[in-house]
Amino acid sequence: MIPENELHASLRYLESDEALESLAADAYWPKWDSPWWQMRLLHELGETKLIPKAAIRAHVEALDRMPVKFFPIEPGELPDGVDPFRGTPCHCQLGTVYQVLSAWGVDVDRELPWIRSWLLRYQMPDGGLNCDSDAYLVKNEVPSSMVGTISAFEAILLHTPRQWTAEERAFLERGAQFLIERRLVLGSSTRRNAAERASAELWPQLCFPRFYFYDVLRGLSALLAWSEKVGQPPPEAALEVASTLRARFPDGDVRIGRQPFVGNTRGRDANGVWERRPAAQFPLLVSVSEAGRVSPFLSREWAQAEARIAALSAKHGP
């Protein structure tokens, strides 16, 4: 199912001095072939435990060294000399980091306690989040983002209901209502985040790996997991999306619809200056992400969603 040569190439890389030096320089950048993205892909493949301990520890240490452990919103909050776009983490980054490290076995709340409190702190009034700091300064509308919300919601959802604090339970309730009100498919209706309406046209085209990107199956899985944990029937929005996916993939074989990570990104040149350049890839990413091919990983997720819907419907009635 997972191409062995490419898998072992990624594992060798993550054990290498090159990978550790990359993590020492930056926990996240550059996209899409530096250590973080290879670790994230292994997680999405269901092979989190294969990530070498040295890479995990180097990543935790790199995150712990970050000089800014809050999301600068107001003018003047960002310390001098820190890049406003790439010098601090964002919500989608920390939500995905939390999930990978937790699945590997790191006690994230003990070693990096600021991550969980960060995710809770920056929820917007409608239950969403936005990695655009200026969105928090907008008046008369709430320009939250699906991409900025989904990984944070997934991360807070990891704990069991008995472990949830009142703040976490409220965060998840608001986040679930945000997904429901968006019907899992709708972009923002705001002026500030109008571009998301164009992005939403692509969400029915499923992607693998997702990294921090959104598609309707990812939203469906998160909403069903919440329904399961709080003991509620599947929301109508979830059933509508499931019906659409069932019609598209009647045999259960889910095909990859797009590669949202393809294109240009930013990276540092030899002098440390950020520049636009083609996004890099690595062999394991190339081998499992081809648009149009059946993805066993998306197919497995869709089968799990179907099973959850059946169990929730049987428990709570139609």
Side-chain angles (χ1 to χ4, degrees), residues 113-174:
W114 56 274
I115 292 182
R116 193 171 186 84
S117 60
W118 171 307
L119 297 175
L120 295 170
R121 178 180 178 182
Y122 295 109
Q123 189 176 44
M124 304 178 89
D126 68 347
L129 295 86
N130 196 319
C131 294
D132 171 11
S133 59
D134 289 342
Y136 289 83
L137 301 176
V138 173
K139 308 298 183 184
N140 302 320
E141 63 178 13
V142 184
S144 50
S145 157
M146 283 290 234
V147 168
T149 301
I150 189 63
S151 64
F153 182 79
E154 292 166 339
I156 301 300
L157 192 58
L158 284 180
H159 285 191
T160 65
R162 287 186 178 183
Q163 295 173 304
W164 293 341
T165 64
E167 183 182 14
E168 290 164 351
R169 189 175 293 275
F171 174 96
L172 290 168
E173 175 67 31
R174 290 191 295 265

Coordinates of all heavy atoms in Angstrom, one line a residue, residues 113-174:
P113 N 3.1 23.6 26.4 CA 1.8 23.9 26.9 C 1.1 25.1 26.2 O -0.1 25.3 26.2 CB 2.0 24.2 28.4 CG 3.5 24.5 28.5 CD 4.1 23.7 27.4
W114 N 2.0 25.9 25.6 CA 1.4 27.1 24.9 C 0.6 26.8 23.7 O -0.2 27.6 23.2 CB 2.6 28.1 24.6 CG 3.7 27.5 23.8 CD1 4.8 26.8 24.2 CD2 3.8 27.6 22.3 NE1 5.6 26.4 23.1 CE2 5.0 26.9 22.0 CE3 3.0 28.2 21.3 CZ2 5.4 26.8 20.6 CZ3 3.4 28.1 20.0 CH2 4.6 27.4 19.7
I115 N 0.8 25.6 23.1 CA 0.1 25.3 21.8 C -1.4 25.2 22.1 O -2.2 25.8 21.4 CB 0.7 24.1 21.2 CG1 2.1 24.3 20.7 CG2 -0.2 23.6 20.0 CD1 2.8 23.2 19.9
R116 N -1.7 24.4 23.1 CA -3.2 24.2 23.3 C -3.9 25.5 23.7 O -5.0 25.8 23.2 CB -3.4 23.1 24.4 CG -4.8 22.6 24.5 CD -4.8 21.4 25.4 NE -6.1 20.8 25.4 CZ -6.6 19.9 24.5 NH1 -5.8 19.5 23.5 NH2 -7.8 19.3 24.6
S117 N -3.2 26.3 24.6 CA -3.8 27.5 25.0 C -3.9 28.5 23.9 O -4.9 29.3 23.8 CB -3.0 28.1 26.2 OG -1.7 28.4 25.8
W118 N -2.9 28.4 22.9 CA -3.0 29.3 21.7 C -4.3 29.0 20.9 O -5.0 29.9 20.5 CB -1.7 29.0 20.9 CG -1.7 29.6 19.5 CD1 -2.6 29.5 18.5 CD2 -0.6 30.4 19.0 NE1 -2.2 30.2 17.4 CE2 -1.0 30.7 17.7 CE3 0.6 30.8 19.5 CZ2 -0.1 31.5 16.8 CZ3 1.4 31.6 18.7 CH2 1.1 31.9 17.4
L119 N -4.5 27.7 20.6 CA -5.6 27.3 19.8 C -6.9 27.8 20.4 O -7.9 28.2 19.7 CB -5.6 25.8 19.6 CG -4.4 25.2 18.8 CD1 -4.5 23.7 18.8 CD2 -4.3 25.8 17.4
L120 N -7.0 27.6 21.8 CA -8.3 28.0 22.4 C -8.4 29.6 22.4 O -9.5 30.1 22.3 CB -8.3 27.5 23.9 CG -8.3 26.0 24.1 CD1 -8.0 25.6 25.5 CD2 -9.6 25.4 23.6
R121 N -7.3 30.3 22.5 CA -7.4 31.7 22.7 C -7.9 32.4 21.5 O -8.5 33.5 21.6 CB -6.0 32.2 23.0 CG -5.8 33.7 23.2 CD -4.4 34.1 23.5 NE -4.2 35.5 23.6 CZ -3.0 36.1 23.8 NH1 -1.9 35.3 24.0 NH2 -2.9 37.4 23.9
Y122 N -7.6 31.9 20.3 CA -7.8 32.7 19.0 C -9.1 32.2 18.3 O -9.2 32.5 17.1 CB -6.6 32.6 18.2 CG -5.4 33.4 18.8 CD1 -4.3 32.6 19.3 CD2 -5.5 34.7 19.0 CE1 -3.3 33.3 19.9 CE2 -4.4 35.4 19.6 CZ -3.3 34.7 20.1 OH -2.3 35.3 20.8
Q123 N -10.0 31.5 18.9 CA -11.3 31.2 18.3 C -12.0 32.5 18.1 O -12.1 33.3 19.1 CB -12.0 30.2 19.1 CG -13.3 29.7 18.4 CD -14.0 28.6 19.2 OE1 -14.1 28.7 20.4 NE2 -14.4 27.5 18.6
M124 N -12.7 32.7 17.0 CA -13.4 33.9 16.7 C -14.9 33.7 17.2 O -15.3 32.6 17.5 CB -13.4 34.2 15.2 CG -11.9 34.4 14.7 SD -11.7 34.7 13.0 CE -11.8 36.5 13.0
P125 N -15.7 34.7 17.2 CA -17.1 34.6 17.7 C -18.0 33.6 17.0 O -18.9 33.1 17.6 CB -17.6 36.0 17.6 CG -16.4 36.9 17.6 CD -15.3 36.2 17.0
D126 N -17.7 33.3 15.8 CA -18.5 32.3 15.1 C -18.0 30.9 15.2 O -18.6 30.0 14.6 CB -18.6 32.7 13.6 CG -17.3 32.5 12.8 OD1 -16.3 32.4 13.5 OD2 -17.3 32.6 11.6
G127 N -17.0 30.7 16.0 CA -16.4 29.4 16.2 C -15.3 29.0 15.3 O -14.6 28.0 15.5
G128 N -14.9 29.9 14.4 CA -13.8 29.6 13.5 C -12.5 30.3 14.0 O -12.5 31.0 15.0
L129 N -11.5 30.1 13.2 CA -10.2 30.8 13.4 C -9.7 31.4 12.1 O -10.3 30.9 11.0 CB -9.1 30.0 14.0 CG -9.4 29.4 15.5 CD1 -10.2 28.1 15.4 CD2 -8.0 29.2 16.2
N130 N -8.7 32.2 12.1 CA -8.2 32.7 10.8 C -6.7 33.0 11.0 O -6.3 33.6 12.0 CB -8.9 34.0 10.3 CG -8.6 34.3 8.9 OD1 -7.5 34.1 8.4 ND2 -9.6 34.7 8.1
C131 N -5.8 32.4 10.1 CA -4.4 32.6 10.2 C -4.0 34.0 9.7 O -2.8 34.3 9.7 CB -3.7 31.5 9.5 SG -3.9 29.9 10.2
D132 N -4.9 34.8 9.2 CA -4.6 36.2 8.8 C -4.9 37.0 10.0 O -6.0 37.2 10.4 CB -5.6 36.5 7.6 CG -5.5 38.0 7.3 OD1 -4.6 38.7 7.8 OD2 -6.4 38.5 6.5
S133 N -3.8 37.6 10.6 CA -4.0 38.3 11.8 C -4.9 39.5 11.7 O -5.6 39.9 12.6 CB -2.6 38.7 12.4 OG -1.9 39.5 11.4
D134 N -4.9 40.1 10.5 CA -5.7 41.3 10.3 C -7.2 41.0 10.3 O -8.0 41.9 10.5 CB -5.3 42.0 8.9 CG -4.0 42.7 8.9 OD1 -3.5 42.9 10.0 OD2 -3.4 42.9 7.8
A135 N -7.5 39.8 10.1 CA -9.0 39.4 10.2 C -9.5 39.6 11.5 O -10.8 39.9 11.7 CB -9.1 37.9 9.8
Y136 N -8.7 39.6 12.6 CA -9.2 39.8 13.9 C -9.5 41.3 14.2 O -10.1 41.6 15.3 CB -8.2 39.3 14.9 CG -8.1 37.8 15.0 CD1 -7.4 37.1 14.0 CD2 -8.9 37.0 15.9 CE1 -7.3 35.7 14.0 CE2 -8.8 35.6 15.9 CZ -8.1 35.0 15.0 OH -8.0 33.6 15.0
L137 N -9.0 42.2 13.4 CA -9.2 43.6 13.6 C -10.4 44.1 12.8 O -10.8 45.3 12.9 CB -8.0 44.4 13.1 CG -6.7 44.0 13.8 CD1 -5.5 44.8 13.2 CD2 -6.8 44.3 15.3
V138 N -11.0 43.2 12.0 CA -12.2 43.7 11.1 C -13.4 43.9 12.0 O -13.7 43.1 12.9 CB -12.5 42.6 10.1 CG1 -13.8 42.9 9.3 CG2 -11.3 42.5 9.1
K139 N -14.1 44.9 11.7 CA -15.4 45.3 12.4 C -16.6 44.9 11.6 O -16.5 44.8 10.4 CB -15.4 46.8 12.8 CG -14.2 47.3 13.5 CD -14.0 46.7 14.8 CE -12.8 47.3 15.5 NZ -12.5 46.6 16.8
N140 N -17.7 44.6 12.2 CA -19.0 44.4 11.6 C -19.1 43.1 10.8 O -20.1 42.8 10.1 CB -19.3 45.6 10.6 CG -19.3 46.9 11.4 OD1 -19.8 46.9 12.5 ND2 -18.8 47.9 10.8
E141 N -18.1 42.2 10.8 CA -18.2 40.9 10.2 C -17.1 40.0 10.9 O -16.2 40.5 11.5 CB -18.1 40.9 8.7 CG -16.7 41.4 8.2 CD -16.6 41.4 6.7 OE1 -17.7 41.2 6.0 OE2 -15.5 41.5 6.2
V142 N -17.3 38.7 10.7 CA -16.3 37.7 11.3 C -15.7 36.9 10.2 O -16.3 35.9 9.7 CB -17.0 36.8 12.3 CG1 -15.9 35.9 13.0 CG2 -17.7 37.7 13.4
P143 N -14.6 37.3 9.6 CA -14.0 36.6 8.5 C -13.2 35.4 8.8 O -12.0 35.3 8.6 CB -13.2 37.7 7.8 CG -12.7 38.5 9.0 CD -13.8 38.5 10.0
S144 N -13.8 34.4 9.5 CA -13.0 33.2 9.8 C -12.8 32.3 8.6 O -13.3 32.5 7.5 CB -13.8 32.4 10.9 OG -15.2 32.2 10.5
S145 N -11.9 31.3 8.8 CA -11.4 30.5 7.7 C -11.6 29.0 8.0 O -11.2 28.6 9.1 CB -10.0 30.9 7.5 OG -9.3 29.9 6.8
M146 N -12.0 28.2 7.0 CA -12.1 26.8 7.2 C -10.7 26.2 7.4 O -10.5 25.4 8.2 CB -12.7 26.2 6.0 CG -14.2 26.3 6.0 SD -15.0 25.3 7.2 CE -16.2 24.3 6.3
V147 N -9.7 26.7 6.6 CA -8.4 26.1 6.7 C -7.8 26.5 8.0 O -7.1 25.7 8.6 CB -7.5 26.7 5.5 CG1 -6.0 26.4 5.8 CG2 -7.9 26.0 4.2
G148 N -8.0 27.7 8.5 CA -7.5 28.1 9.8 C -8.2 27.4 11.0 O -7.6 27.4 12.1
T149 N -9.3 26.8 10.7 CA -10.1 26.3 11.8 C -9.9 24.8 11.9 O -9.8 24.2 13.1 CB -11.6 26.5 11.5 OG1 -11.9 27.9 11.5 CG2 -12.5 25.9 12.6
I150 N -9.9 24.0 10.8 CA -10.1 22.6 10.9 C -9.0 21.9 11.7 O -9.3 21.0 12.5 CB -10.2 22.0 9.5 CG1 -10.6 20.5 9.5 CG2 -8.9 22.2 8.7 CD1 -12.0 20.3 10.1
S151 N -7.7 22.2 11.6 CA -6.7 21.4 12.3 C -6.8 21.8 13.8 O -6.5 20.9 14.7 CB -5.3 21.7 11.7 OG -5.0 23.0 11.9
A152 N -7.1 23.0 14.1 CA -7.3 23.4 15.6 C -8.4 22.6 16.2 O -8.3 22.1 17.3 CB -7.5 24.9 15.7
F153 N -9.5 22.5 15.5 CA -10.7 21.8 15.9 C -10.3 20.3 16.2 O -10.6 19.7 17.2 CB -11.8 21.9 14.9 CG -13.1 21.2 15.3 CD1 -14.0 21.7 16.3 CD2 -13.4 19.9 14.8 CE1 -15.2 21.1 16.6 CE2 -14.6 19.3 15.1 CZ -15.5 19.9 16.1
E154 N -9.6 19.7 15.2 CA -9.2 18.3 15.3 C -8.3 18.1 16.5 O -8.3 17.1 17.2 CB -8.4 17.9 14.0 CG -9.3 17.8 12.8 CD -8.5 17.7 11.5 OE1 -7.3 18.1 11.5 OE2 -9.0 17.3 10.5
A155 N -7.4 19.1 16.7 CA -6.4 19.0 17.8 C -7.1 19.0 19.2 O -6.8 18.1 20.1 CB -5.4 20.1 17.8
I156 N -8.0 19.9 19.4 CA -8.7 20.0 20.7 C -9.6 18.8 20.9 O -9.8 18.3 22.0 CB -9.5 21.3 20.8 CG1 -8.5 22.5 20.7 CG2 -10.2 21.4 22.1 CD1 -7.4 22.6 21.7
L157 N -10.1 18.2 19.8 CA -11.0 17.1 19.8 C -10.3 15.8 20.3 O -10.9 14.8 20.6 CB -11.6 16.9 18.5 CG -12.8 15.9 18.3 CD1 -14.0 16.3 19.2 CD2 -13.3 15.9 16.9
L158 N -8.9 15.8 20.2 CA -8.2 14.5 20.5 C -8.5 14.0 21.9 O -8.5 12.8 22.1 CB -6.7 14.8 20.3 CG -6.1 14.9 18.9 CD1 -4.6 15.1 19.0 CD2 -6.4 13.6 18.1
H159 N -8.6 14.9 22.9 CA -8.8 14.4 24.2 C -10.2 13.7 24.4 O -11.1 14.0 23.6 CB -8.7 15.5 25.2 CG -7.3 16.0 25.5 ND1 -6.9 16.8 26.5 CD2 -6.1 15.6 24.9 CE1 -5.6 17.0 26.5 NE2 -5.1 16.3 25.5
T160 N -10.4 12.9 25.4 CA -11.7 12.3 25.6 C -12.6 13.3 26.3 O -12.1 14.3 27.0 CB -11.5 11.1 26.5 OG1 -11.1 11.5 27.8 CG2 -10.6 10.1 25.9
P161 N -13.9 13.2 26.2 CA -14.8 14.2 26.9 C -14.5 14.3 28.4 O -14.7 15.4 28.9 CB -16.2 13.6 26.6 CG -16.0 12.9 25.3 CD -14.6 12.3 25.3
R162 N -14.1 13.3 29.0 CA -13.8 13.4 30.5 C -12.6 14.3 30.7 O -12.5 14.9 31.8 CB -13.5 12.0 31.1 CG -14.7 11.1 31.2 CD -14.4 9.8 31.9 NE -15.6 9.0 32.1 CZ -15.5 7.8 32.8 NH1 -14.4 7.4 33.3 NH2 -16.6 7.1 32.9
Q163 N -11.7 14.4 29.8 CA -10.6 15.3 29.9 C -10.8 16.7 29.6 O -10.1 17.6 29.9 CB -9.4 14.8 29.1 CG -8.9 13.4 29.5 CD -7.9 12.9 28.5 OE1 -8.2 12.8 27.3 NE2 -6.7 12.6 28.9
W164 N -11.9 17.0 28.9 CA -12.2 18.3 28.4 C -12.5 19.3 29.6 O -13.2 19.0 30.5 CB -13.4 18.4 27.5 CG -13.2 17.7 26.2 CD1 -12.1 17.4 25.6 CD2 -14.3 17.3 25.3 NE1 -12.3 16.8 24.4 CE2 -13.7 16.7 24.2 CE3 -15.7 17.3 25.3 CZ2 -14.4 16.2 23.1 CZ3 -16.4 16.8 24.3 CH2 -15.8 16.2 23.2
T165 N -11.9 20.4 29.5 CA -12.2 21.5 30.5 C -13.5 22.2 29.9 O -13.9 21.9 28.8 CB -11.1 22.6 30.6 OG1 -11.0 23.2 29.3 CG2 -9.8 21.9 31.0
A166 N -14.1 23.0 30.7 CA -15.3 23.7 30.3 C -14.9 24.6 29.1 O -15.7 24.7 28.1 CB -15.8 24.6 31.4
E167 N -13.7 25.2 29.1 CA -13.3 26.0 28.0 C -13.2 25.2 26.7 O -13.6 25.6 25.6 CB -12.0 26.7 28.3 CG -11.5 27.7 27.2 CD -10.1 28.3 27.5 OE1 -9.4 27.8 28.5 OE2 -9.7 29.2 26.9
E168 N -12.6 24.0 26.8 CA -12.4 23.1 25.6 C -13.8 22.7 25.1 O -14.0 22.6 23.9 CB -11.5 22.0 26.0 CG -10.1 22.4 26.2 CD -9.3 21.3 27.0 OE1 -9.8 20.3 27.5 OE2 -8.0 21.5 27.1
R169 N -14.7 22.3 26.0 CA -16.0 21.9 25.6 C -16.7 23.0 24.8 O -17.3 22.7 23.8 CB -16.8 21.4 26.8 CG -18.1 20.7 26.4 CD -18.8 20.2 27.7 NE -18.0 19.1 28.3 CZ -18.1 17.9 27.9 NH1 -19.0 17.5 27.0 NH2 -17.4 16.9 28.6
A170 N -16.6 24.2 25.3 CA -17.2 25.3 24.6 C -16.6 25.6 23.3 O -17.3 25.9 22.3 CB -17.2 26.6 25.5
F171 N -15.2 25.5 23.2 CA -14.5 25.7 22.0 C -15.0 24.7 20.9 O -15.3 25.0 19.8 CB -13.0 25.5 22.2 CG -12.2 25.5 21.0 CD1 -11.5 26.6 20.6 CD2 -12.0 24.3 20.2 CE1 -10.7 26.7 19.5 CE2 -11.2 24.3 19.1 CZ -10.6 25.5 18.7
L172 N -15.2 23.4 21.3 CA -15.6 22.4 20.4 C -17.0 22.6 20.0 O -17.4 22.3 18.8 CB -15.4 21.0 21.0 CG -13.9 20.6 21.2 CD1 -13.8 19.4 22.1 CD2 -13.3 20.3 19.8
E173 N -17.9 23.0 20.9 CA -19.3 23.2 20.6 C -19.4 24.3 19.5 O -20.1 24.2 18.5 CB -20.1 23.6 21.8 CG -21.5 24.0 21.6 CD -22.4 22.8 21.0 OE1 -22.1 21.7 21.4 OE2 -23.3 23.1 20.3
R174 N -18.7 25.4 19.8 CA -18.7 26.5 18.8 C -18.1 26.1 17.5 O -18.5 26.5 16.4 CB -17.9 27.7 19.4 CG -18.7 28.4 20.5 CD -18.0 29.7 20.9 NE -16.7 29.6 21.4 CZ -16.3 29.5 22.7 NH1 -17.3 29.6 23.6 NH2 -15.1 29.4 23.0

